[in-house]
Amino acid sequence: MINVQEFARRLSTLGADAFTSDDIVDLATAADVRINADLEIGADLAQRLLDRVSPPVSITGAQIVASQWPIPMSSRPAAPTVTFSSPGAVDGPSDQVTRARGSRPANNGRRPGPRRTGR
């Protein structure tokens, strides 16, 4: 069981609307239930309140009052699948040509040019 404030917080995480304790009292009034801030909300009462939420949420009263929150299964939609138009266009690591890291040849810290002799 959870209190009214926690019910409002959990309900707010499910959608775009932010719910307050007053909103939960309004839902209870619409469901012909007397409610106050000290009342513990169980699964049956939570379901009656959820039935009054518009637009409807995809969670049950038992899930919203569960001790583990958020619920294990995601209530968010899954990411869309990705489709490649030409899956063979990407070279694998063994197909890539190895080349030096820089575009210039390595000079080991010396200036390019002829060596001076005879110091």
Side-chain angles (χ1 to χ4, degrees):
M1 295 180 69
I2 58 175
N3 64 23
V4 174
Q5 289 177 336
E6 180 61 15
F7 184 83
R9 187 188 70 77
R10 291 181 181 191
L11 191 55
S12 296
T13 64
L14 297 174
D17 296 335
F19 287 87
T20 65
S21 297
D22 292 336
D23 296 324
I24 304 307
V25 170
D26 292 343
L27 288 174
T29 302
D32 293 328
V33 175
R34 293 194 65 170
I35 197 170
N36 62 41
D38 299 327
L39 180 68
E40 293 288 316
I41 297 175
D44 292 335
L45 178 54
Q47 189 61 55
R48 288 180 67 185
L49 298 175
L50 290 175
D51 289 342
R52 298 293 179 166
V53 174
S54 179
V57 292
S58 60
I59 192 170
T60 65
Q63 289 172 320
I64 202 166
V65 299
S67 59
Q68 183 178 4
W69 186 264
I71 55 174
M73 63 184 143
S74 177
S75 60
R76 290 184 254 171
T81 56
V82 177
T83 306
F84 294 99
S85 58
S86 30
V90 177
D91 293 333
S94 62
D95 298 336
Q96 294 176 351
V97 177
T98 21
R99 41 182 183 180
R101 295 182 82 187
S103 58
R104 296 183 294 170
N107 60 12
N108 297 331
R110 296 184 185 156
R111 292 180 177 223
R115 296 180 101 194
R116 290 185 174 178
T117 55
R119 273 194 174 194

